[in-house]
Amino acid sequence: MKFIIERFDPDKDAKPYFKEYDIQLEPTDKMLLDALIRIKSVDDSLALRRSCREGVCGSDAMNINGKNGLACVTKIADLPDVVKLRPLPGLPIIRDLIVDMTQFFKQYHSITPFVINNDPPPEKERLQSPVDRAELDGLYECILCACCSTSCPSFWWNPDKFVGPAGLLAAYRFIADTRDQATNERLDNLEDPYRLFRCHTIMNCVDVCPKGLNPSLAIGKIKEMMVKRGV
Amino acid sequence: MALNVRKFDAVVVGAGGSGLRAALQLSTAGLKTAVLTKVFPTRSHTVAAQGGVGASLGNMGEDSWHWHMYDTVKGSDWLGDQDAIEFMCRTAPEAVIELEHYGMPFDRNDNGTIYQRPFGGHSMNFGEKPVQRSCCAADRTGHAMLHTLYQRNVFANTQFFVEWMALDLIRDAEGAVVGVTALEMETGETMIFHAKATLFATGGAGRIFASSTNALINTGDGAGMAARAGIPLEDMEFWQFHPTGVAGAGVLITEGVRGEGGILLNKDGERFMERYAPTMKDLASRDVVSRAMATEIKDGRGAGPNNDYILLKLDHLGPDVINKRLPGIRESAIKFANVDPVKEPIPVVPTCHYQMGGIPTNYKGEVIVPKGGNPNSVVPGFYAAGECGCASIHGANRLGTNSLTDLLVMGKSAGDSTIAYVKAHGTHRDLPKDAGDYTLSRLNRLETQKSGESVFEVGNAMRQAMQAHCGVFRFPDMLEKGVAKIKEVAERCKHTEIKDKSKVFNTARIEALEQDNLMEVALATMISAEARKESRGAHDRADFKDREGYPNGRDDKEWLRHTLWYKEGNRLDYKPVNLKPLTVETIPPKARVY
């Protein structure tokens, strides 16, 4: 099988280039990550991040034939004969398929990603009805792989100003939590021409999310709350 | 060449569940803390835990920490230390409640309390019948927990060094731990972290086996560093084989599936666990279920074209329960086994999952070694928690859900002990003059090695040897051959060659350094297993079977003791099991029946 992989080592290369690998896969190689490990056994200089190899840690996000996804849950059988791999677009490349995610996490951190509740903690758990808990479904499962934010043109243009789909999904995860008391402050934090409103509902985020989440819907709900609050 | 030095009150190595829980204590106490982690914290292996965290909240009916303690002691096949087990089970409810207050999205009951599901080996009233004790967030409990702990650390302003791999432990002439050397992956620079206290939360080494549920990063880095620094590793012969890894892929399918009512079937469609564990059936302890499955397969009753797997049936739970309580495993089954469990059973096999042994500690998370006649002498400035530590809570077999309970309780406990030590010791101990030399010599060896085997080849040889010689069923001749084999692989490991000598994010170098750590763990495991002449928990030897006075082949007269393996000379030592709990009566050894 043929793989064309973008390579870059800042100590050697003036700019990224593509390297071709024609590789004999074994029957046990089922996922794209297996193929990459097979390639690395031949060329140990290929650099990529990986950890859980089952789609829950978010390490091995990359651009696969033009679309962002996780290598470990992308089936080789579903890929064409030639596979072109690039690092996630829009973030600085550190080396090969490894990008600098500082900006991505900075935006995640900017939405105060923790429950804020200033009441003294009760002796037992804070109660939450199953219906209220269900509001968190589709939000808390995010694995911070950055597939969404790095497929979003608004994030490409303003990664320093626009929170991006992953960060906004997280913002709504805390707004939607009945245990959190900081909804107003959270909305204030996003009341800005860029942070929230740069989302133009292009929906790339929904299209690429490997966990099937819908940041666009969450962003819509925040916008709605913003409007309601304004009147 | 001297390395740059940075000074901290405390260094935490690892940012999975126990590292994050410990770091939270240290940051909140105002200690100048560095948390080193080779992956961004939420990529740590805690993220993969599925079924729940065990705590006797009693939300679903009567429960008590004492019952939880009994189950854990029995689960450990009496190799667990009962002071540590009591400590964990008593503290578990407050640890879970605390996590809920941090924002953990637990599933809920109609009355708003945390939902709890049944789990293997957890019972009411000292073994009477299954109890609902596992607090869960669907089947993504580890993910929800790890993210919640990370978020709380963001709140506490914890200082992380992300993608820094710790390489070696630094001890002074008196044996006290004064920090670590670490490699920054992005630059390839190595530095010394000089600390008053060092806390290891580096996770397990499940990647010593060919078939493993573990993340690729689970390479026993803490165990390897400790072993190279002269610290023994405890009870390394005890590895948990999880009953339900996806056949072929190794991906975990939670015991929560059986907790919610799923059952195991052989090729004849028989629910065979009824024969092996009449009371707990499919919810017996993991070692018991894995052995039963392996026996079915061995006796030709495995399913599939090659009769080499067992079927995990859950379609009878209906799509509503599956989608609500087990959505993640449905996703995994579709992706990795090509079956939709709403309609078809999942093909599963016992798969290496958890390291019961590790760096010896007490329940305070202080690392302890034999010294001057005291088997439990504290190593000044050194702490360990979570899967890399051995308190010993899990003994010869861990109960499902107790890994997450352990990392919460022991992470906090080790954190508190670290704070007390740092506060009692105002200044840093001096760094030895040659601190860093050992690390530099290891790195230099890799730099200059020419024409050796690749790390991939040597790693494969290790994984295959472990799988073939030290699996679910162990045989005396295979173990003996296994010791020779693994020693031979360890020799080869000293001469691995990496072709890539670059500086920036050189993952070939990282993998070579990881292989060094895996190798220590593999040696410790095989040698400890060969030497333990009994069957106990997950260590099942064909030459020690059930007979009068030896329940399931267990020999309490000779072997009710912990193994200690030292790297130097592959020496073995032993120390007594602590059968004395903190406040309650001892739970005396008896035959283990589920």
Side-chain angles (χ1 to χ4, degrees):
Chain A
M1 200 166 161
K2 198 170 180 180
F3 295 86
I4 304 171
I5 304 178
E6 187 171 316
R7 302 291 310 265
F8 176 66
D9 177 347
D11 284 343
K12 282 202 320 242
D13 308 317
K15 57 180 189 178
Y17 65 97
F18 285 100
K19 185 166 177 182
E20 278 192 31
Y21 294 91
D22 235 324
I23 202 100
Q24 183 66 46
L25 295 176
E26 299 294 324
T28 49
D29 297 332
K30 302 278 192 220
M31 299 292 180
L32 174 58
L33 179 61
D34 300 324
L36 287 168
I37 291 171
R38 188 71 54 197
I39 292 171
K40 197 165 168 57
S41 74
V42 182
D43 176 2
D44 69 3
S45 72
L46 176 66
L48 66 144
R49 292 188 176 106
R50 83 286 181 277
S51 174
C52 76
R53 64 87 175 84
E54 58 185 30
V56 294
C57 82
S59 296
D60 64 352
M62 56 188 69
N63 189 270
I64 307 159
N65 287 331
K67 189 174 169 183
N68 292 350
L70 300 178
C72 61
V73 290
T74 299
K75 286 182 186 172
I76 293 169
D78 294 345
L79 291 169
D81 294 340
V82 181
V83 180
K84 194 168 185 177
L85 300 176
R86 306 190 60 192
L88 288 176
L91 293 175
I93 301 169
I94 295 175
R95 158 116 187 230
D96 298 343
L97 297 172
I98 296 173
V99 291
D100 181 350
M101 296 185 70
T102 308
Q103 197 65 63
F104 173 79
F105 287 121
K106 209 169 167 181
Q107 291 297 358
Y108 174 70
H109 292 153
S110 81
I111 59 96
T112 53
F114 41 83
V115 163
I116 297 172
N117 185 317
N118 295 318
D119 294 341
E123 200 179 309
K124 295 281 180 74
E125 63 265 57
R126 291 197 163 99
L127 300 180
Q128 186 173 51
S129 73
V131 175
D132 287 341
R133 165 61 185 77
E135 289 296 317
L136 307 182
D137 287 339
L139 304 173
Y140 83 94
E141 301 94 323
C142 171
I143 58 174
L144 300 175
C145 64
C147 280
C148 60
S149 294
T150 61
S151 67
C152 172
S154 297
F155 190 76
W156 294 337
W157 293 322
N158 294 294
D160 54 335
K161 295 192 192 120
F162 174 51
V163 172
L168 289 169
L169 184 85
Y172 188 65
R173 178 251 173 273
F174 293 101
I175 291 171
D177 197 321
T178 51
R179 298 169 296 177
D180 187 90
Q181 300 173 328
T183 298
N184 259 320
E185 291 84 343
R186 292 183 189 283
L187 294 178
D188 290 347
N189 178 358
L190 299 173
E191 186 88 70
D192 167 288
Y194 285 93
R195 285 177 62 71
L196 170 70
F197 289 104
R198 278 288 129 165
C199 169
H200 298 307
T201 337
I202 299 167
M203 306 278 275
N204 282 0
C205 54
V206 182
D207 189 37
V208 299
C209 177
K211 304 309 284 181
L213 308 179
N214 190 332
S216 199
L217 186 68
I219 293 167
K221 286 185 176 172
I222 304 176
K223 284 181 176 168
E224 207 174 295
M225 290 178 89
M226 223 49 128
V227 172
K228 273 194 190 143
R229 193 171 76 143
V231 293
Chain B
M1 185 180 107
L3 293 173
N4 286 329
V5 179
R6 285 192 72 167
K7 268 191 175 185
F8 291 87
D9 288 329
V11 169
V12 176
V13 183
S18 60
L20 289 178
R21 187 63 196 79
L24 197 49
Q25 290 306 98
L26 303 181
S27 297
T28 307
L31 263 59
K32 192 184 174 199
T33 306
V35 181
L36 310 183
T37 171
K38 64 178 181 175
V39 293
F40 184 80
T42 62
R43 323 284 190 221
S44 308
H45 186 56
T46 302
V47 82
Q50 298 175 351
V53 47
S56 57
L57 300 182
N59 285 351
M60 321 300 290
E62 201 186 351
D63 198 3
S64 90
W65 66 262
H66 202 183
W67 297 349
H68 186 188
M69 177 185 171
Y70 172 85
D71 294 335
T72 304
V73 171
K74 178 181 171 184
S76 82
D77 215 350
W78 276 272
L79 192 71
D81 289 319
Q82 295 193 16
D83 56 342
I85 295 175
E86 175 180 340
F87 177 71
M88 185 190 81
C89 296
R90 279 174 69 133
T91 316
E94 69 177 63
V96 167
I97 294 299
E98 195 172 55
L99 197 65
E100 194 283 326
H101 294 161
Y102 295 160
M104 169 101 171
F106 282 112
D107 284 5
R108 300 289 172 156
N109 294 307
D110 286 341
N111 66 4
T113 56
I114 295 169
Y115 167 75
Q116 299 180 275
R117 61 161 59 111
F119 235 77
H122 289 279
S123 76
M124 287 181 96
N125 210 12
F126 309 102
E128 216 171 82
K129 59 179 181 182
V131 73
Q132 291 186 246
R133 187 179 289 147
S134 174
C135 315
C136 57
D139 55 359
R140 304 186 180 102
T141 313
H143 170 275
M145 181 182 284
L146 189 65
H147 281 250
T148 302
L149 286 171
Y150 176 68
Q151 290 156 1
R152 192 68 184 182
N153 273 282
V154 172
F155 169 78
N157 257 321
T158 299
Q159 189 179 1
F160 290 103
F161 288 75
V162 175
E163 291 172 338
W164 281 74
M165 181 181 175
L167 300 183
D168 283 295
L169 197 60
I170 304 171
R171 300 178 77 184
D172 67 10
E174 286 151 57
V177 169
V178 293
V180 291
T181 53
L183 172 76
E184 185 183 31
M185 296 185 191
E186 185 175 338
T187 61
E189 296 300 326
T190 307
M191 202 187 283
I192 288 174
F193 285 77
H194 186 193
K196 294 174 191 166
T198 302
L199 194 161
F200 273 12
T202 53
R207 283 282 153 189
I208 61 169
F209 287 92
S211 163
S212 174
T213 65
N214 279 209
L216 297 164
I217 57 168
N218 286 18
T219 54
D221 299 337
M225 284 187 275
R228 283 193 297 275
I231 307 276
L233 300 181
E234 179 174 348
D235 292 340
M236 292 305 295
E237 60 271 46
F238 298 101
W239 283 88
Q240 178 157 84
F241 294 85
H242 194 290
T244 55
V246 169
V251 169
L252 176 67
I253 299 292
T254 175
E255 192 169 282
V257 169
R258 284 169 286 138
E260 296 290 344
I263 53 173
L264 294 164
L265 303 176
N266 61 19
K267 73 166 182 184
D268 305 320
E270 184 206 3
R271 188 183 180 188
F272 57 87
M273 278 315 298
E274 290 177 330
R275 276 190 277 124
Y276 295 87
T279 307
M280 298 294 280
K281 301 188 177 85
D282 300 85
L283 286 177
S285 248
R286 287 181 180 169
D287 57 335
V288 173
V289 178
S290 282
R291 263 193 299 278
M293 291 168 66
T295 304
E296 291 297 302
I297 293 169
K298 184 163 61 77
D299 293 350
R301 291 189 294 276
N306 301 315
N307 302 106
D308 58 356
Y309 56 75
I310 295 295
L311 297 169
L312 176 61
K313 174 180 153 62
L314 64 156
D315 59 306
H316 55 285
L317 305 180
D320 290 350
V321 169
I322 292 174
N323 289 332
K324 184 173 173 199
R325 302 285 186 207
L326 305 165
I329 68 99
R330 184 177 181 198
E331 196 181 316
S332 282
I334 291 170
K335 284 197 175 120
F336 287 93
N338 295 313
V339 298
D340 184 348
V342 166
K343 296 180 213 133
E344 297 164 88
I346 309 172
V348 290
V349 288
T351 306
C352 175
H353 183 58
Y354 189 85
Q355 166 190 316
M356 264 78 74
I359 302 166
T361 74
N362 54 26
Y363 70 86
K364 297 169 188 162
E366 297 166 323
V367 175
I368 48 176
V369 296
K371 194 178 175 185
N374 175 8
N376 299 315
S377 166
V378 171
V379 178
F382 193 25
Y383 303 84
E387 192 170 345
C388 78
C390 180
S392 156
I393 289 168
H394 312 300
N397 170 66
R398 174 175 70 75
L399 290 193
T401 76
N402 273 355
S403 58
L404 295 185
T405 316
D406 172 329
L407 63 81
L408 287 178
V409 171
M410 290 302 297
K412 185 177 184 183
S413 179
D416 284 339
S417 301
T418 304
I419 294 165
Y421 181 86
V422 168
K423 289 195 168 157
H425 296 77
T427 53
H428 285 73
R429 283 170 174 262
D430 289 338
L431 277 178
K433 288 214 163 38
D434 61 353
D437 286 5
Y438 182 55
T439 297
L440 287 172
S441 72
R442 289 177 63 214
L443 291 171
N444 189 51
R445 201 281 294 165
L446 275 175
E447 270 332 283
T448 52
Q449 181 77 39
K450 292 201 171 69
S451 71
E453 273 182 290
S454 74
V455 173
F456 187 76
E457 284 169 292
V458 172
N460 272 345
M462 174 197 67
R463 287 183 282 274
Q464 279 155 16
M466 294 310 296
Q467 198 75 29
H469 294 264
C470 210
V472 175
F473 294 123
R474 296 172 176 179
F475 305 89
D477 53 329
M478 286 298 279
L479 283 168
E480 261 179 55
K481 282 182 204 150
V483 169
K485 180 91 199 159
I486 209 72
K487 283 181 176 169
E488 180 235 307
V489 178
E491 275 308 307
R492 289 160 59 187
C493 189
K494 291 177 188 166
H495 309 288
T496 50
E497 187 204 4
I498 53 171
K499 304 272 186 214
D500 181 8
K501 315 280 192 195
S502 64
K503 295 282 274 181
V504 175
F505 231 117
N506 183 331
T507 51
R509 182 179 295 127
I510 298 296
E511 288 179 14
L513 294 163
E514 289 176 331
Q515 180 58 38
D516 287 350
N517 295 327
L518 285 165
M519 208 61 244
E520 307 297 354
V521 175
L523 274 169
T525 299
M526 192 77 84
I527 289 167
S528 303
E530 194 279 328
R532 183 174 282 270
K533 305 289 193 291
E534 66 160 352
S535 293
R536 184 185 295 270
H539 177 62
D540 184 272
R541 289 182 61 126
D543 46 345
F544 296 97
K545 288 292 176 196
D546 194 44
R547 66 192 167 100
E548 184 67 35
Y550 300 87
N552 304 315
R554 196 178 77 204
D555 181 354
D556 289 329
K557 282 185 231 50
E558 284 296 320
W559 289 100
L560 188 54
R561 52 184 184 158
H562 297 294
T563 307
L564 295 172
W565 169 86
Y566 291 82
K567 174 179 167 59
E568 195 180 9
N570 283 309
R571 179 166 66 89
L572 292 177
D573 192 4
Y574 293 91
K575 68 172 184 177
V577 173
N578 186 355
L579 295 171
K580 198 173 171 325
L582 297 169
T583 67
V584 292
E585 292 285 302
T586 186
I587 298 167
K590 63 172 184 178
R592 202 159 149 254
V593 182
Y594 282 100

